[in-house]
Amino acid sequence: MKVILKKLAALFVLVNLTSCVGYGAYASFTDLSDKKNDGTKPAEENCLNSTLEVNLLFEGEPVNFEYERIGLIESEGGIDSNDEDVLKELKARAKEKCCDMVIGVKKGKGQTEAGLLFITDFEKSHKYSTIIYSGIGVKRKVTTN
C-alpha cells in the first residue's frame, strides 16, 4: 500500500511541476529546405555536441555568401526573459538543426498567457508581453577557388 501511495505522490508532484505553462523561453522550427521529405532526405546530423558556432545577421545586414536554406526559426521569451535569453534560445535551435548562421533576424513582440495547466481560475493565470526573434537558419556553402 505504501508503494502505491508513494507512486501516486510522485505522479502528483510530477504533474504539478510539468503543468506550468508559458513561463520559459522556447524556439520553434519550420523546415524550408529544398530537399524532399519523402524518405530521400538524409538523416539529421547531431550538431548539438559539435563545436559549431552560430552567427546572427540581423534584418538589413548584407548577406555576402551563398547558402543552403534550412528553415525558419522563431524564439519566444518567457515571463522573465530578456533579449539575451531569447537570442541564446534562437542560436541553440539553429545549432540543433546544424545551421551555422541565422539571417534576416528581426525582433517582435507577442502576447501570451501563463498559468497552471487544468486550472481555469483567472487569478492563477495572467497575460504578459514576450520578446520574439525570428530568422532563416542557413548553412553557408563552401566555395573553392
Side-chain angles (χ1 to χ4, degrees), residues 105-119:
V105 177
K106 60 183 173 181
K107 181 179 181 178
K109 293 274 186 191
Q111 187 80 11
T112 193
E113 188 172 350
L116 296 175
L117 199 59
F118 308 120
I119 304 290

Side-chain angles (χ1 to χ4, degrees), residues 15-33:
V15 167
N16 281 320
L17 289 176
T18 59
S19 65
C20 295
V21 293
Y23 287 107
Y26 73 92
S28 62
F29 176 81
T30 305
D31 190 352
L32 298 176
S33 66

Side-chain angles (χ1 to χ4, degrees), residues 63-84:
V63 179
N64 298 326
F65 55 88
E66 290 187 37
Y67 58 86
E68 175 189 353
R69 188 171 66 164
I70 304 300
L72 173 66
I73 304 171
E74 181 177 271
S75 177
E76 183 173 344
I79 195 164
D80 60 353
S81 297
N82 56 32
D83 288 300
E84 185 179 343

